[in-house]
Amino acid sequence: MPRFLTKRGFWITALFGAINIAGLWAIVAAIEGRGRRLRIEAFQPEGVASTQAVVTVRFDQPMVLWADAGSEVADGLLEVFPPVAGRAVWQDARTLAFEPAEQLRLATVYTVTVSRRFTSLLGNALGRDRVFDFHTPRLDLMLSLIHI
């Protein structure tokens, strides 16, 4: 067998071996979720919200165990401005809900800050504070003229 075929076969085998190892590493990293930054997939409400709205934040990675659904979040991790009495609880492993204790005020812009200190069960952090806002319906005055 010619010598160049042996060298060529070695390099082809080495190349395919490297591709397989890189592919395996990528698959394992994707399964484990390592190396990814924690992201917020969804925030509700957006735009105009009811005065009885519940604020929800959905993350792209598990944040708590399923058994911890219903547990409250530590103070300072989710802030609402202007301040509203209420509690922040995990609805499921990835969804956090802020349940106001009273109705939201009409004609008010609310700003919700999700702290960068949030960390998923996979060890990935949010990286920076995320800020969202929504507002409640404004008061509209209606003028009615009655002709007699």
Side-chain angles (χ1 to χ4, degrees):
M1 178 186 297
R3 190 161 197 213
F4 76 92
L5 288 178
T6 305
K7 285 183 182 178
R8 186 180 198 188
F10 170 77
W11 288 112
I12 289 172
T13 303
L15 175 66
F16 281 113
I19 290 170
N20 283 332
I21 290 171
L24 259 158
W25 181 80
I27 290 169
V28 169
I31 290 171
E32 291 182 353
R34 292 197 177 136
R36 287 189 357 206
R37 208 171 266 270
L38 178 62
R39 291 182 312 125
I40 293 176
E41 284 184 340
F43 174 84
Q44 292 293 328
E46 293 180 298
V48 180
S50 160
T51 57
Q52 298 174 3
V54 172
V55 174
T56 59
V57 180
R58 180 140 178 99
F59 296 91
D60 70 334
Q61 298 171 26
M63 302 297 290
V64 295
L65 299 173
W66 274 98
D68 293 330
S71 64
E72 290 194 37
V73 174
D75 287 340
L77 291 178
L78 184 79
E79 295 181 358
V80 180
F81 185 82
V84 177
R87 63 188 201 122
V89 296
W90 291 106
Q91 286 183 334
D92 58 43
R94 295 173 31 193
T95 307
L96 178 64
F98 176 75
E99 302 166 344
E102 55 199 40
Q103 283 192 352
L104 302 175
R105 292 184 289 183
L106 283 172
T108 304
V109 175
Y110 287 93
T111 302
V112 179
T113 303
V114 182
S115 175
R116 67 178 162 269
R117 294 181 294 145
F118 270 103
T119 304
S120 73
L121 288 178
L122 302 173
N124 299 321
L126 200 50
R128 64 180 172 87
D129 289 352
R130 298 293 196 270
V131 179
F132 303 93
D133 58 26
F134 65 94
H135 60 91
T136 52
R138 65 178 187 215
L139 296 172
D140 289 327
L141 295 177
M142 296 174 62
L143 182 61
S144 176
L145 297 174
I146 301 175
H147 291 77
I148 301 179

